[in-house]
Amino acid sequence: PTSMLPAEVLKAAVLEVYGPQQHLSVLDLCAAPGSKSTHLASWLQTRGSLLVVNEPDPVRHRVLRSNLLRGGIVDCLRTRLDGRLVGDLAPEAFDAVLVDAPCSGEGNLRKAADALDAWMDADGGRRQRRNWAQLQWELLQSGWRALRAGGVLVYSTCTQNREENESQLQRMIAAGWDVERLDPAELLGIRGMDLQGHEQGSLRILPQ
């Protein structure tokens, strides 16, 4: 499923950067409900590596724990921290970081029709999107601080507007972050499909 693409991109990028190296430390900063965490943990177990999964909300954290156990994952570290603080608490501690950030959820309208509620605001949801974008930017900065030099960071959402997606990448560049942008489509071997809106270092998959 397309929901697993961020985890697959992270795996492919880790292999591109680190090759067969073992004993890596990986952070899933916004981990609940846990499908991506379970997917990554199953893979990392074969490499003798550590996965740290973080979810601040107590209810969602319980769901995360349940899904990890259901998937047979017992040897990862779970934390319940404000994701915006993790980078300061564990600076340069991880070889790879996944920031699958909370968002306005425009890509989930089929299963979460309340995602449309924001569009009913007087401003057409612009204020709410700005608030989401600011939270995402703070999480992204935290993930960056938690990343070791030369490491891999993947940022993703399940929404469709540029403000919460490509604009965050441009914000990183404008802030002077020392980044080398990898091509997710190339990492995944995606060919022969229309990559409309595809920019260097990003991949946009629209729901059918």
Side-chain angles (χ1 to χ4, degrees), residues 55-161:
E55 174 53 52
D57 181 83
V59 174
R60 288 173 59 82
H61 189 93
R62 287 195 293 272
V63 172
L64 171 63
R65 176 181 180 274
S66 176
N67 285 333
L68 287 167
L69 291 174
R70 188 176 293 116
I73 307 302
V74 294
D75 55 352
C76 70
L77 177 63
R78 286 182 292 109
T79 59
R80 212 180 84 189
L81 302 167
D82 184 333
R84 294 169 292 187
L85 304 178
V86 171
D88 292 328
L89 294 171
E92 299 185 30
F94 297 95
D95 301 294
V97 176
L98 173 62
V99 183
D100 185 44
C103 65
S104 56
E106 296 165 354
N108 288 329
L109 294 180
R110 287 182 179 175
K111 62 180 180 180
D114 58 353
L116 280 173
D117 292 348
W119 294 86
M120 305 304 291
D121 291 350
D123 66 352
R126 285 189 293 274
R127 179 180 58 82
Q128 288 198 41
R129 289 195 295 278
R130 283 196 301 270
N131 291 341
W132 281 119
Q134 182 57 33
L135 172 61
Q136 293 153 1
W137 176 240
E138 292 171 8
L139 289 168
L140 194 50
Q141 291 179 90
S142 178
W144 179 257
R145 292 194 297 272
L147 189 67
R148 292 188 179 121
V152 171
L153 186 146
V154 171
Y155 169 78
S156 62
T157 75
C158 58
T159 199
Q160 299 174 30
N161 63 79

Side-chain angles (χ1 to χ4, degrees), residues 8-23:
E8 285 296 320
V9 169
L10 187 75
K11 286 168 54 179
V14 165
L15 289 171
E16 175 81 9
V17 172
Y18 292 105
Q21 183 176 333
Q22 304 288 307
H23 310 299

